[in-house]
Amino acid sequence: QVQVVESGGGLVQSGGSLRLSCATSISINSIYAMSWYRQAPGKQRELVARITFSGNTDYGDSVKGRFTISRDSAKSTVFLQMSNLKPEDTAMYYCNAETSSRIAWGQGTQVTVSS
């Protein structure tokens, strides 16, 4: 069974930082890209950041310049370094892994930013 597991969420004050991790059981050779999405209560899920395993990155407009996505080149693992966090960043953060045949999602990790 394919697994995608997020970790690193928590409660942080406005202006603080957090680092999220996402690991998947999918073989690194099968992965095309991995992404972070977030969903706040009452809002639609939105793209936060995406990285292809060839190294290209893409960010949502609201996080550009504050968040950085990276990957472990030896493992099927990606990270999301979040800096200068704002209360509006509060959401459940989800990771997914894309292959040629499917997109596998994790269960999410909660990030809460207090003002």
Side-chain angles (χ1 to χ4, degrees), residues 51-68:
I51 185 167
T52 68
F53 273 34
S54 59
N56 295 317
T57 58
D58 190 24
Y59 295 92
D61 288 341
S62 62
V63 306
K64 286 180 181 177
R66 299 189 298 124
F67 291 10
T68 302

Side-chain angles (χ1 to χ4, degrees), residues 10-11 46 50 88:
L11 174 64
E46 63 173 353
R50 181 175 183 264
E88 51 264 42

Side-chain angles (χ1 to χ4, degrees), residues 18-41:
L18 277 176
R19 187 187 194 218
L20 305 183
S21 299
C22 173
T24 177
S25 59
I26 300 173
S27 168
I28 191 171
N29 295 319
S30 298
I31 298 172
Y32 176 74
M34 293 182 71
S35 302
W36 287 97
Y37 282 74
R38 68 185 182 187
Q39 187 167 20

Side-chain angles (χ1 to χ4, degrees), residues 23-114:
T24 177
S25 59
I26 300 173
S27 168
I28 191 171
N29 295 319
S30 298
I31 298 172
Y32 176 74
M34 293 182 71
S35 302
W36 287 97
Y37 282 74
R38 68 185 182 187
Q39 187 167 20
K43 294 188 177 182
Q44 289 189 332
R45 190 172 293 192
E46 63 173 353
L47 174 69
V48 176
R50 181 175 183 264
I51 185 167
T52 68
F53 273 34
S54 59
N56 295 317
T57 58
D58 190 24
Y59 295 92
D61 288 341
S62 62
V63 306
K64 286 180 181 177
R66 299 189 298 124
F67 291 10
T68 302
I69 190 169
S70 60
R71 58 175 286 244
D72 184 324
S73 60
K75 301 178 182 179
S76 303
T77 302
V78 296
F79 308 98
L80 185 69
Q81 179 66 46
M82 305 185 293
S83 302
N84 190 21
L85 282 160
K86 304 175 182 180
E88 51 264 42
D89 294 316
T90 295
M92 185 70 78
Y93 283 69
Y94 298 91
C95 177
N96 75 35
E98 299 174 45
T99 70
S100 59
S101 59
R102 67 178 295 174
I103 299 176
W105 289 88
Q107 294 299 307
T109 185
Q110 178 68 37
V111 172
T112 302
V113 184
S114 63

